[in-house]
């Protein structure tokens, strides 16, 4: 998560595995409209979610800040000296910020997002990395499918700041000429000539991959991730189980069944799903009774995942917040101080949850239409992944009972539709109270506890 | 592992279907009309595949096909995907009792070709039986399969039977690698028991030559519709084409993480803990005096071994960390290495478990691998949690893993290819280090007793596992403690 990692000064003895000794510079390669920025942003989001501090540096952004108004593709002509000079300056400015992020700001991975289509440019970057002690990993996207490129242009180029002043036809025509400017000098990564470099070449949006010299764990994880993502349109539906008996009593955790209203929700959810006519929907639940009961009503085959079980509250399982404050006031305060990292005694933290959920996210990336029926903390973690939320925001994301969130990938992000199925339920959301000090009064601690029976 | 079928037409209103919790695995399943749990409910984390998968190796002799086949089979079985390998060379040895020379493999040897084709078909027949009748999910067809013609035969066979096909090709021209390969696995082969080393190597090189002329490697263009991974130069480079599903994705990830660099993995438990002495399970106690002595001795042992760039991993429990501290090398803590969560039985003695939860205690003895403690975990859960540890162990070289009894059993079962039945009863005593060194197709194990006294924590399966058994029968095999 952004903000979740410690500075590199302290020895990270509590990390599950030392991701990398020296920082990694990921360098994209490819003609325009080959998905480099899509890949950069997605990879950055994933790495931050699994607690590897990552940042992307899009050279196009730097160019837009330098050349305030984009006129036409002529800027990118290979014989445009002025253009070449500016573009080189922008690349160097971006690399400078990369160095600052990786060396001074505790960054672990930087994604240098640009065409980088010539061997000469790539050599410059490699020398820069060597000087600074960074490992380099190239991610090239090669695609000649005109439909994919056209769709790409529609999704992300038409809305670009470069084309706000154009209509669709003008924008497309200009962009196609822009691509042409790069084609003649494009030197794709080569099995032979580049055999000593570490890279993955993604061909035809994942139809085929060439992987060369994976150096370490983080590169292996990056390759695995890139090989599992796809761009087939689909939606992911996230919701919690129906209201449970323990929910009504204001108790956390446990393995109780649905209340009457929870059962009503399950029925309504089933009707909603039927009405949506979702193509080949997969349904996933946890192994806790309340999610399975909910799935039963949807009437489709479902798969149970232990990894989707609610956060283990350890000694606080089945307690009310009032009881936690009474029995463990110190723990309660520590939790409010850092809800993401706080681990319940004999239980788990949100940080642990993210690690446990990583295979779920990986499989969600592989799948198409999926409905995930889970729990409050689990849903917050999954949502944080899709919506790129920080470790600070994640534990306070609003995931009310009886509400379905429909997530649809669009452009570089995710569209969210919130569907309230209009079945009453208790509120289980506890905001961070103002006073998180260990000496606070009981009233201060319980200020934000939602009402219950 | 087939996808579950929730037959909602079985009952009028799906909501009236009650859920019951399977007593062994603590899985909630809908009960059918007679109140008993439905049989085919999926508790698996993900439906690996709907139809079985046939993995087909491709490559010249001595390219590591059998090494890959066996390792992959071991890994898949460990993560609970029923897998079996079918080595055509084995079939040939059963057919042609005595191997004379490379001449058998000459491309103009009609008799030889006929026998080899028959063997391949016999193996495919057994593949069909395993995948269709015996509940197998993945079959690894291990042979050279170097011609497009042979591969087309296999593809047709798979199509007829509803199997997915995934090719694993190993391409290597490094003479050192091939020579080392021959030394490691060919010299000891039944084919060469009657030869000396030079004769065997000379014959084998000629055998390779027999295949070279007709070898048609998988091709990016010609084979663009097939699903495959081409491993080049022992993992320097990979070409991956058309990964179809989850299991193929996992296979690719696994193959891209393994290596053949010589190294050793050291497995041991934490030093004896205070709870160990009291005969209590679980918890998070510190080391006893003897446990501290062990940690010191372990530190000396590790120093004496002069292990190149050793990594040390521990769990996040106090007793393993205390142990690592004495070794004096930087270590990494993994939550995934924590001991099995005994849920409501945490910190109890076996006698207390028998007293308070006699039914649970009996169920555990009936199926120790799948049994899940109430509010706790099963060995089956442990394996799932340890999979990323295994993957990282495959990537690493020399590693010392300081962990716990159940965890060590799971890791050991992976390296030594133990079944689910054997796993929970593997002997992993305190104060003993197991040094695992990959050799040929398996793993050499050296057991190093560091000669520091400790309690025995190993409880064998008692004779009587019936729920109606007496307390004495249940506690028959409990090891001594204070």
């Amino acid at each position: 998560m952004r903000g979740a990692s410690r500075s590199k000064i302290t020895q990270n003895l509590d990390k599950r595995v030392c991701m990398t000794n020296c920082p990694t510079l990921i360098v994209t390669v490819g003609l325009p409209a080959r998905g480099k920025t899509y890949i950069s942003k997605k990879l950055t989001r994933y790495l931050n979610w699994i607690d590897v501090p990552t940042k992307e540096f899009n050279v196009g952004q730097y160019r837009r800040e330098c050349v305030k108004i984009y006129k036409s593709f002529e800027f990118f002509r290979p014989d445009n000296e002025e253009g070449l000079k500016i573009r080189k300056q922008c690349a160097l400015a971006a690399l400078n910020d990369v160095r600052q992020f990786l060396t001074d700001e505790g960054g672990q991975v930087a994604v240098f997002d640009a065409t980088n289509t010539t061997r000469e440019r790539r050599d410059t970057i490699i020398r820069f990395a060597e000087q600074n002690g960074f490992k380099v990993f190239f991610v090239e996207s090669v695609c000649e499918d005109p439909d994919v490129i056209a769709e790409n242009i529609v999704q992300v180029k038409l809305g670009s700041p470069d084309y706000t002043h154009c209509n669709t036809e003008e924008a497309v025509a200009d962009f196609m000429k822009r691509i042409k400017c790069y084609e003649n000098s494009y030197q794709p990564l080569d099995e032979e000539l580049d055999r000593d470099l570490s890279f993955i070449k993604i061909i035809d949006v994942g139809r085929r991959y060439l992987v060369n010299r994976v150096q370490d764990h983080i590169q292996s994880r990056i390759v695995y991730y890139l090989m599992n993502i796809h761009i087939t349109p689909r939606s992911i539906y996230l919701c919690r189980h129906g209201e449970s008996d323990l929910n009504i009593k204001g108790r956390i955790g446990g393995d109780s069944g649905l209340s009457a209203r929870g059962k009503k929700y399950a029925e309504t959810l089933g009707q909603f799903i039927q009405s949506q006519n979702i193509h080949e929907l997969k349904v996933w639940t946890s192994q806790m009774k309340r999610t399975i009961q909910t799935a039963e009503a949807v009437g489709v085959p479902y798969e149970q995942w232990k990894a989707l079980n609610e956060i283990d509250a350890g000694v606080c399982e089945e307690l009310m917040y009032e009881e936690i404050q009474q029995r463990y006031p110190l723990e309660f305060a520590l939790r409010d101080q850092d809800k993401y990292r706080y681990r319940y005694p004999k239980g788990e933290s949100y940080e642990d949850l993210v690690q446990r959920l990583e295979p779920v996210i990986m499989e969600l990336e592989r799948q198409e239409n999926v409905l995930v029926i889970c729990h409050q903390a689990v849903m917050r973690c999954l949502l944080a992944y899709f919506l790129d939320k920080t470790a600070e925001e994640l534990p306070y994301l609003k995931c009310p009972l009886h509400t379905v969130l429909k997530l649809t990938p669009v452009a570089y992000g995710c569209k969210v539709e919130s569907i309230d199925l209009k079945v009453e339920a208790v509120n289980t959301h506890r905001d961070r109270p103002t006073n998180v000090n260990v000496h606070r009064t009981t009233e201060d601690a319980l200020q934000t506890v939602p009402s219950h029976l």
Side-chain angles (χ1 to χ4, degrees), chain A residues 338-387:
Chain A
D338 190 347
K339 197 175 176 189
Y340 182 74
R341 279 172 213 79
Y342 171 82
R343 188 184 279 169
Y344 280 106
K346 303 194 180 179
E348 294 176 302
S349 61
Y350 273 93
E351 196 172 22
D352 295 327
L353 253 196
V354 162
Q355 200 177 313
R356 145 150 96 76
L357 286 168
E358 200 264 352
V360 176
I361 285 295
M362 196 64 85
E363 188 56 22
L364 273 174
E365 285 294 346
R366 289 197 56 79
Q367 292 289 340
E368 293 183 17
N369 292 316
V370 186
L371 163 66
V372 184
I373 303 171
C374 54
H375 305 266
Q376 185 168 246
V378 169
M379 187 165 160
R380 284 169 170 157
C381 292
L382 298 178
L383 199 56
Y385 167 75
F386 288 109
L387 302 185

Side-chain angles (χ1 to χ4, degrees), chain A residues 183-280:
Chain A
E183 278 179 357
N184 288 343
S185 60
Y186 182 21
Q187 294 163 305
L189 288 168
D190 182 81
E191 276 188 54
E192 271 310 301
L193 298 172
D194 299 302
R195 65 181 168 282
D196 288 334
L197 301 183
S198 296
F199 66 84
I200 178 171
K201 188 193 274 273
I202 304 169
I203 300 143
D204 291 336
V205 203
R207 175 68 37 86
R208 196 159 76 238
Y209 304 92
L210 182 67
V211 180
N212 199 63
R213 289 195 185 257
V214 171
Q215 296 173 41
D216 59 18
H217 178 97
I218 189 68
Q219 290 180 18
S220 164
R221 293 285 288 279
I222 288 165
V223 164
Y224 184 44
Y225 181 72
L226 292 176
M227 289 176 63
N228 281 318
I229 60 180
H230 68 77
I231 58 166
T232 308
R234 50 82 174 252
S235 290
I236 294 167
Y237 299 78
L238 299 182
C239 72
R240 292 166 66 186
H241 52 83
E243 183 191 67
S244 73
D245 289 324
L246 284 180
N247 285 146
I248 293 180
K249 295 175 183 159
R251 295 183 174 281
I252 65 172
D255 193 16
S256 58
L258 299 181
S259 66
R261 299 194 296 197
K263 288 175 181 165
K264 179 99 184 64
Y265 164 74
E267 253 181 71
T268 315
L269 177 65
Q271 288 155 9
F272 168 72
I273 292 297
Q274 298 297 340
S275 73
Q276 291 277 294
N277 270 321
I278 304 158
H279 177 65
E280 282 186 16

